[in-house]
Amino acid sequence: MRIGILNCGGDCPGLNAVIHGVVGAAASKGWETIGFRDGFEGLLPPGDFTFLNPKDTEGILKQGGTILGTTNKGNFAAKVGEGDIARVPQQIVDRAKKTLDQLEIGALVVVGGDGSLTTANQLYEQGWPIIGVPKTIDNDLKATSMTFGFDSAVSTVVDGLDRLYTTAQSHKRVMVLEVMGRHAGWIALWGGMAGAANVILLPEIAFTYEKVAEHLKRREAMGYTSSLVVVAEGAKNPEGHLATVDDNRGGEVRLGGIGEQVAKKIGELTGKETRSTTLGHIQRGGTPTPLDRILGIRFGVMAAQLAGEGKFGQMVSYHSYHVGSVPIKEAVEELRLVESDTEVVKAARAVGVCFGD
Ligand code: F6P
């Protein structure tokens, strides 16, 4: 048995733990693992790949990024806009399949987010031996209650808020922190709650600047001298518009800039000195947390197990502390978003967090 593995989409802390898990589990069964570089692109002839054995993965658990490289653009990008799905051209699929056949790959483990898994599912439907592993800091995949990378991103947000708190206190300012998460508010919600944010603005809950300003003024009247505001990059401004950087040709639209807008408006409406910080890719880089390392290893080991059982078209999933699997199709049908009446949101409201609604 020979297993292929590739990462695609944005990188994410814990990717190397998955590689470590797949390679270790495969080797223990006497199987070989081949890692393809830069996602599906590594499958295009002549093929860009490397044989991986447990010695090659020694020491990579603690490394962020991925030793195999990745891309969220190129010939295999499936999600090209909000809700737009492109089919990978047949000629590209056929060329890549040749490499798979020549190398006698019995199972191809695709570690990706919803765009890459959409591509993976298209390939599975054409007969490829695909096993999916969910990956995204955004934690927005249906059919798994957690993806690795999310915990590391949240930790970075919390660290950022802890730092912003002390400077906010010293200067009696409002600090706005823009965080990633694409069209889902999980990073903002969890990071904001754990980092004691006073206002959390999510894509899923429409806000108005007036409500945010009222809340901040009320806090000031109560004697609080500073406030922390977390805004998800995918939060829409009250006119219903996303802030975008550019159209990231060949990939999905790039979000960014809402933090500056929110800070400016808060400053105008409250008269408080307000500053904005964008965490950006700092949330994606660096050392994975222990939770993400363990989740990554378990996902990798389960992927190898599914490969051995020939359970193609399945994606590793995590529910109620157990790692299992679900059809990839189920996972990519729609995004898992924050529900505004969920218990976590209610808990945040109960401790005084304002969502701007
Ligand atoms: O999906 C992960 C993610 O980090 C999003 O949170 C963010 O919007 C996007 O990727 C950034 O992508 P890129 O690295 O292409 O700018």
Side-chain angles (χ1 to χ4, degrees):
M1 172 80 153
R2 195 175 266 176
I3 298 184
I5 179 168
L6 55 85
N7 311 134
C8 33
D11 69 341
C12 170
L15 275 173
N16 286 327
V18 178
I19 297 172
H20 178 74
V22 169
V23 171
S28 71
K29 293 182 164 79
W31 303 339
E32 281 181 324
T33 306
I34 290 184
F36 292 94
R37 295 200 182 88
D38 299 335
F40 289 106
E41 302 294 319
L43 282 168
L44 291 175
D48 190 1
F49 57 85
T50 179
F51 281 85
L52 293 169
N53 62 54
K55 261 207 191 118
D56 301 312
T57 71
E58 191 186 50
I60 67 170
L61 258 187
K62 54 180 143 317
Q63 279 175 30
T66 160
I67 58 165
L68 290 175
T70 187
T71 177
N72 53 10
K73 294 189 189 153
N75 293 296
F76 294 86
K79 293 229 166 162
V80 288
E82 210 182 337
D84 299 335
I85 293 178
R87 289 206 77 79
V88 182
Q90 193 57 45
Q91 174 228 5
I92 297 285
V93 175
D94 294 343
R95 286 177 62 211
K97 182 72 168 38
K98 249 186 213 151
T99 309
L100 211 65
D101 293 342
Q102 273 164 5
L103 291 171
E104 297 177 357
I105 302 287
L108 181 64
V109 176
V110 176
V111 194
D114 91 303
S116 320
L117 290 172
T118 299
T119 302
N121 198 51
Q122 288 181 15
L123 300 174
Y124 163 68
E125 284 171 355
Q126 296 203 35
W128 288 43
I130 299 279
I131 304 290
V133 175
K135 165 244 56 151
T136 168
I137 61 164
D138 304 338
N139 204 23
D140 59 354
L141 273 172
K142 266 264 145 104
T144 184
S145 45
M146 196 178 282
T147 49
F148 63 86
F150 173 63
D151 186 59
S152 303
V154 168
S155 299
T156 304
V157 171
V158 174
D159 180 53
L161 285 170
D162 290 350
R163 288 167 193 274
L164 287 175
Y165 177 73
T166 58
T167 171
Q169 281 267 293
S170 309
H171 288 267
K172 303 180 180 55
R173 284 173 172 163
V174 176
M175 290 294 190
V176 175
L177 182 67
E178 177 185 312
V179 304
M180 281 185 165
R182 213 156 248 294
H183 304 293
W186 294 107
I187 296 178
L189 178 61
W190 283 55
M193 275 181 82
N198 310 107
V199 177
I200 302 177
L201 303 177
L202 307 177
E204 296 89 342
I205 301 179
F207 70 91
T208 67
Y209 288 124
E210 288 70 25
K211 290 275 181 205
V212 173
E214 260 171 41
H215 183 76
L216 295 174
K217 281 189 195 159
R218 206 175 312 125
R219 278 179 53 76
E220 193 166 29
M222 289 163 75
Y224 295 102
T225 54
S226 70
S227 293
L228 296 177
V229 177
V230 172
V231 55
E233 62 177 359
K236 292 189 172 114
N237 70 19
E239 287 80 49
H241 298 135
L242 281 172
T244 57
V245 176
D246 62 30
D247 71 358
N248 194 21
R249 260 172 294 158
E252 278 202 279
V253 74
R254 270 177 65 207
L255 304 175
I258 186 81
E260 277 292 337
Q261 291 181 21
V262 168
K264 189 163 174 281
K265 205 69 195 178
I266 287 176
E268 282 167 19
L269 292 177
T270 63
K272 288 278 290 179
E273 202 178 1
T274 307
R275 295 282 192 274
S276 114
T277 303
T278 301
L279 266 185
H281 291 81
I282 288 174
Q283 293 156 98
R284 282 229 311 251
T287 304
T289 59
L291 176 65
D292 283 339
R293 296 182 201 193
I294 289 169
L295 213 49
I297 294 173
R298 291 172 70 193
F299 278 17
V301 170
M302 178 55 76
Q305 185 182 317
L306 294 170
E309 292 167 358
K311 291 196 171 154
F312 304 127
Q314 291 282 305
M315 181 194 85
V316 174
S317 68
Y318 180 76
H319 283 299
S320 312
Y321 301 101
H322 289 283
V323 176
S325 73
V326 292
I328 299 176
K329 200 170 183 322
E330 263 179 35
V332 296
E333 263 163 9
E334 55 178 317
L335 291 181
R336 194 173 72 86
L337 299 175
V338 175
E339 285 162 22
S340 55
D341 59 350
T342 194
E343 174 269 326
V344 194
V345 173
K346 284 185 184 151
R349 288 191 199 276
V351 294
V353 173
C354 165
F355 287 89
D357 56 341

PDB file of all heavy atoms in Angstrom, residues 75 77-78 85-90 93 121-123 125-126:
ATOM      1  N   ASN A  75      -4.431  25.691 -10.451  1.00  0.00           N
ATOM      2  CA  ASN A  75      -5.298  24.901 -11.344  1.00  0.00           C
ATOM      3  C   ASN A  75      -6.453  24.208 -10.635  1.00  0.00           C
ATOM      4  O   ASN A  75      -7.396  23.779 -11.272  1.00  0.00           O
ATOM      5  CB  ASN A  75      -4.452  23.818 -12.016  1.00  0.00           C
ATOM      6  CG  ASN A  75      -3.442  24.423 -12.958  1.00  0.00           C
ATOM      7  OD1 ASN A  75      -3.816  25.032 -13.945  1.00  0.00           O
ATOM      8  ND2 ASN A  75      -2.169  24.283 -12.632  1.00  0.00           N
ATOM      9  N   ALA A  77      -8.225  25.365  -7.761  1.00  0.00           N
ATOM     10  CA  ALA A  77      -9.067  26.162  -6.859  1.00  0.00           C
ATOM     11  C   ALA A  77     -10.538  25.951  -7.206  1.00  0.00           C
ATOM     12  O   ALA A  77     -10.953  26.171  -8.342  1.00  0.00           O
ATOM     13  CB  ALA A  77      -8.700  27.637  -6.968  1.00  0.00           C
ATOM     14  N   ALA A  78     -11.306  25.477  -6.222  1.00  0.00           N
ATOM     15  CA  ALA A  78     -12.715  25.184  -6.501  1.00  0.00           C
ATOM     16  C   ALA A  78     -13.629  26.321  -6.081  1.00  0.00           C
ATOM     17  O   ALA A  78     -14.534  26.712  -6.795  1.00  0.00           O
ATOM     18  CB  ALA A  78     -13.139  23.901  -5.793  1.00  0.00           C
ATOM     19  N   ILE A  85     -18.654  27.921  -7.138  1.00  0.00           N
ATOM     20  CA  ILE A  85     -17.826  26.715  -7.194  1.00  0.00           C
ATOM     21  C   ILE A  85     -17.456  26.442  -8.650  1.00  0.00           C
ATOM     22  O   ILE A  85     -18.324  26.375  -9.519  1.00  0.00           O
ATOM     23  CB  ILE A  85     -18.575  25.500  -6.606  1.00  0.00           C
ATOM     24  CG1 ILE A  85     -18.775  25.728  -5.106  1.00  0.00           C
ATOM     25  CG2 ILE A  85     -17.794  24.208  -6.847  1.00  0.00           C
ATOM     26  CD1 ILE A  85     -19.520  24.653  -4.398  1.00  0.00           C
ATOM     27  N   ALA A  86     -16.145  26.319  -8.893  1.00  0.00           N
ATOM     28  CA  ALA A  86     -15.681  26.025 -10.252  1.00  0.00           C
ATOM     29  C   ALA A  86     -15.326  24.555 -10.335  1.00  0.00           C
ATOM     30  O   ALA A  86     -14.899  23.960  -9.341  1.00  0.00           O
ATOM     31  CB  ALA A  86     -14.451  26.860 -10.560  1.00  0.00           C
ATOM     32  N   ARG A  87     -15.498  23.957 -11.484  1.00  0.00           N
ATOM     33  CA  ARG A  87     -15.048  22.568 -11.673  1.00  0.00           C
ATOM     34  C   ARG A  87     -13.613  22.604 -12.185  1.00  0.00           C
ATOM     35  O   ARG A  87     -13.253  23.457 -12.990  1.00  0.00           O
ATOM     36  CB  ARG A  87     -15.952  21.848 -12.688  1.00  0.00           C
ATOM     37  CG  ARG A  87     -17.341  21.568 -12.145  1.00  0.00           C
ATOM     38  CD  ARG A  87     -17.975  20.384 -12.839  1.00  0.00           C
ATOM     39  NE  ARG A  87     -17.456  19.102 -12.367  1.00  0.00           N
ATOM     40  CZ  ARG A  87     -17.837  18.515 -11.241  1.00  0.00           C
ATOM     41  NH1 ARG A  87     -18.726  19.075 -10.461  1.00  0.00           N
ATOM     42  NH2 ARG A  87     -17.334  17.351 -10.868  1.00  0.00           N
ATOM     43  N   VAL A  88     -12.811  21.692 -11.683  1.00  0.00           N
ATOM     44  CA  VAL A  88     -11.435  21.627 -12.156  1.00  0.00           C
ATOM     45  C   VAL A  88     -11.484  21.116 -13.601  1.00  0.00           C
ATOM     46  O   VAL A  88     -12.152  20.117 -13.883  1.00  0.00           O
ATOM     47  CB  VAL A  88     -10.608  20.654 -11.271  1.00  0.00           C
ATOM     48  CG1 VAL A  88      -9.167  20.611 -11.724  1.00  0.00           C
ATOM     49  CG2 VAL A  88     -10.708  21.048  -9.810  1.00  0.00           C
ATOM     50  N   PRO A  89     -10.798  21.807 -14.548  1.00  0.00           N
ATOM     51  CA  PRO A  89     -10.860  21.373 -15.945  1.00  0.00           C
ATOM     52  C   PRO A  89     -10.446  19.903 -16.106  1.00  0.00           C
ATOM     53  O   PRO A  89      -9.467  19.455 -15.492  1.00  0.00           O
ATOM     54  CB  PRO A  89      -9.865  22.292 -16.660  1.00  0.00           C
ATOM     55  CG  PRO A  89      -9.707  23.458 -15.757  1.00  0.00           C
ATOM     56  CD  PRO A  89      -9.960  22.968 -14.356  1.00  0.00           C
ATOM     57  N   GLN A  90     -11.175  19.168 -16.960  1.00  0.00           N
ATOM     58  CA  GLN A  90     -10.952  17.723 -17.108  1.00  0.00           C
ATOM     59  C   GLN A  90      -9.523  17.394 -17.530  1.00  0.00           C
ATOM     60  O   GLN A  90      -8.923  16.423 -17.055  1.00  0.00           O
ATOM     61  CB  GLN A  90     -11.958  17.155 -18.120  1.00  0.00           C
ATOM     62  CG  GLN A  90     -12.046  15.634 -18.129  1.00  0.00           C
ATOM     63  CD  GLN A  90     -12.410  15.070 -16.743  1.00  0.00           C
ATOM     64  OE1 GLN A  90     -13.304  15.582 -16.082  1.00  0.00           O
ATOM     65  NE2 GLN A  90     -11.691  14.034 -16.295  1.00  0.00           N
ATOM     66  N   VAL A  93      -7.393  17.380 -14.516  1.00  0.00           N
ATOM     67  CA  VAL A  93      -7.681  16.183 -13.700  1.00  0.00           C
ATOM     68  C   VAL A  93      -6.966  14.973 -14.315  1.00  0.00           C
ATOM     69  O   VAL A  93      -6.312  14.196 -13.605  1.00  0.00           O
ATOM     70  CB  VAL A  93      -9.211  15.910 -13.640  1.00  0.00           C
ATOM     71  CG1 VAL A  93      -9.504  14.605 -12.909  1.00  0.00           C
ATOM     72  CG2 VAL A  93      -9.940  17.063 -12.973  1.00  0.00           C
ATOM     73  N   ASN A 121     -13.687  16.314  -3.384  1.00  0.00           N
ATOM     74  CA  ASN A 121     -14.924  15.563  -3.606  1.00  0.00           C
ATOM     75  C   ASN A 121     -15.221  15.413  -5.106  1.00  0.00           C
ATOM     76  O   ASN A 121     -15.684  14.364  -5.550  1.00  0.00           O
ATOM     77  CB  ASN A 121     -16.094  16.233  -2.882  1.00  0.00           C
ATOM     78  CG  ASN A 121     -17.243  15.265  -2.722  1.00  0.00           C
ATOM     79  OD1 ASN A 121     -17.050  14.152  -2.240  1.00  0.00           O
ATOM     80  ND2 ASN A 121     -18.422  15.653  -3.173  1.00  0.00           N
ATOM     81  N   GLN A 122     -14.910  16.467  -5.870  1.00  0.00           N
ATOM     82  CA  GLN A 122     -15.076  16.369  -7.328  1.00  0.00           C
ATOM     83  C   GLN A 122     -14.212  15.225  -7.864  1.00  0.00           C
ATOM     84  O   GLN A 122     -14.644  14.446  -8.711  1.00  0.00           O
ATOM     85  CB  GLN A 122     -14.651  17.675  -8.009  1.00  0.00           C
ATOM     86  CG  GLN A 122     -15.624  18.838  -7.791  1.00  0.00           C
ATOM     87  CD  GLN A 122     -15.165  20.119  -8.511  1.00  0.00           C
ATOM     88  OE1 GLN A 122     -14.295  20.082  -9.385  1.00  0.00           O
ATOM     89  NE2 GLN A 122     -15.747  21.238  -8.142  1.00  0.00           N
ATOM     90  N   LEU A 123     -12.991  15.125  -7.344  1.00  0.00           N
ATOM     91  CA  LEU A 123     -12.070  14.086  -7.817  1.00  0.00           C
ATOM     92  C   LEU A 123     -12.540  12.700  -7.369  1.00  0.00           C
ATOM     93  O   LEU A 123     -12.478  11.728  -8.125  1.00  0.00           O
ATOM     94  CB  LEU A 123     -10.649  14.362  -7.321  1.00  0.00           C
ATOM     95  CG  LEU A 123     -10.058  15.702  -7.791  1.00  0.00           C
ATOM     96  CD1 LEU A 123      -8.707  15.956  -7.135  1.00  0.00           C
ATOM     97  CD2 LEU A 123      -9.915  15.726  -9.310  1.00  0.00           C
ATOM     98  N   GLU A 125     -15.570  11.833  -6.931  1.00  0.00           N
ATOM     99  CA  GLU A 125     -16.709  11.450  -7.782  1.00  0.00           C
ATOM    100  C   GLU A 125     -16.249  10.959  -9.153  1.00  0.00           C
ATOM    101  O   GLU A 125     -16.990  10.322  -9.889  1.00  0.00           O
ATOM    102  CB  GLU A 125     -17.692  12.633  -7.911  1.00  0.00           C
ATOM    103  CG  GLU A 125     -18.515  12.784  -6.622  1.00  0.00           C
ATOM    104  CD  GLU A 125     -19.356  14.047  -6.547  1.00  0.00           C
ATOM    105  OE1 GLU A 125     -19.242  14.896  -7.461  1.00  0.00           O
ATOM    106  OE2 GLU A 125     -20.118  14.169  -5.566  1.00  0.00           O
ATOM    107  N   GLN A 126     -14.989  11.263  -9.491  1.00  0.00           N
ATOM    108  CA  GLN A 126     -14.434  10.759 -10.754  1.00  0.00           C
ATOM    109  C   GLN A 126     -13.606   9.494 -10.515  1.00  0.00           C
ATOM    110  O   GLN A 126     -12.820   9.094 -11.372  1.00  0.00           O
ATOM    111  CB  GLN A 126     -13.556  11.823 -11.377  1.00  0.00           C
ATOM    112  CG  GLN A 126     -14.359  13.046 -11.767  1.00  0.00           C
ATOM    113  CD  GLN A 126     -13.662  13.835 -12.856  1.00  0.00           C
ATOM    114  OE1 GLN A 126     -13.022  13.258 -13.722  1.00  0.00           O
ATOM    115  NE2 GLN A 126     -13.784  15.136 -12.813  1.00  0.00           N
TER     116      GLN A 126
END
